[in-house]
Amino acid sequence: MKDNIKCTIIQDILPLYADDVVSGDTKELVQQHLKQCEKCRAEFDSMTKAIYLPKETSKTMFKGLQKKWRKKKLIISLLSIFGAFIILSGLFYGLFIHQIAIEVTEISLEIEEYDNNQLVSFYTGRDAVVSVKATHPLEVNVNGVNEQVIFIYYAESLGYKYINRNQQLYKAPFQLTESEKADAVYYAEFDINQISSGEDTWEEVAKRGKLIWERRHEKE
Ligand SMILES: [Zn+2]
């Protein structure tokens, strides 16, 4: 009972004690009590903690954090815009600029020979976005015989293939360069860079390719 009264009295004095504005006797009394009473000690601890946390500091600290976070948020959103741009331009390139060779089985191709021995390739298929890659006649050893071979393939982008998939087919002519000299035309995908670097040869391209036209020789 006595202790209880004391606790309430002590807690009334505690703010003054914490500010160190009590007389020596009171100070001693409070100190004695705090040594024995856990409850008042906890009260005193929480008070001193509250007092010693400078309000201004915590405010500016918070402001600093906010600033940092805002900066971080800005960087994050800039990065996501940049990332989205990279992804979209990559997607655009992949869909509309990068072209993939069309398989010979997917294509309707006719090589026609004209009076001056010139060859014209007629592609029947989707849209003008399809591009044609063709070589001039190259001397290639095919099955032990040296022949003047033209390589040709058509390519299209995936995006346009999808967009134009219901489009009416049309027939596009393409005149083959120096084709009066050609003995044969092969449909085959080739990469000039790989051939000039030695990774691939025209002989290999001919083996992979499909013979789509051959000149009838006079001997027959
Ligand atoms: Zn107490």
Side-chain angles (χ1 to χ4, degrees), residues 7 10-11 14 17 30-49:
C7 274
I10 291 295
Q11 281 172 22
L14 271 179
Y17 172 79
V30 175
Q31 274 172 347
Q32 283 298 320
H33 182 85
L34 287 182
K35 268 184 197 166
Q36 298 153 7
C37 178
E38 206 177 314
K39 214 173 100 187
C40 288
R41 210 159 50 229
E43 177 78 20
F44 176 68
D45 279 350
S46 74
M47 264 172 68
T48 47
K49 264 176 204 156

Side-chain angles (χ1 to χ4, degrees), residues 99-167:
Q99 292 205 321
I100 297 160
I102 307 171
E103 293 289 323
V104 66
T105 49
E106 282 182 72
I107 214 166
S108 166
L109 207 60
E110 284 166 57
I111 304 290
E112 287 181 22
E113 189 179 351
Y114 288 81
D115 295 339
N116 53 3
N117 292 337
Q118 287 285 327
L119 300 178
V120 175
S121 165
F122 284 97
Y123 160 83
T124 308
R126 294 176 294 261
D127 195 72
V129 186
V130 165
S131 67
V132 53
K133 324 257 185 215
T135 66
H136 57 84
L138 300 163
E139 190 168 301
V140 179
N141 189 298
V142 185
N143 303 320
V145 182
N146 277 355
E147 290 193 324
Q148 293 293 321
V149 176
I150 287 177
F151 295 99
I152 186 171
Y153 74 93
Y154 285 74
E156 68 184 338
S157 67
L158 285 175
Y160 285 120
K161 182 180 180 175
Y162 181 75
I163 289 168
N164 297 318
R165 74 190 193 286
N166 294 321
Q167 211 181 48

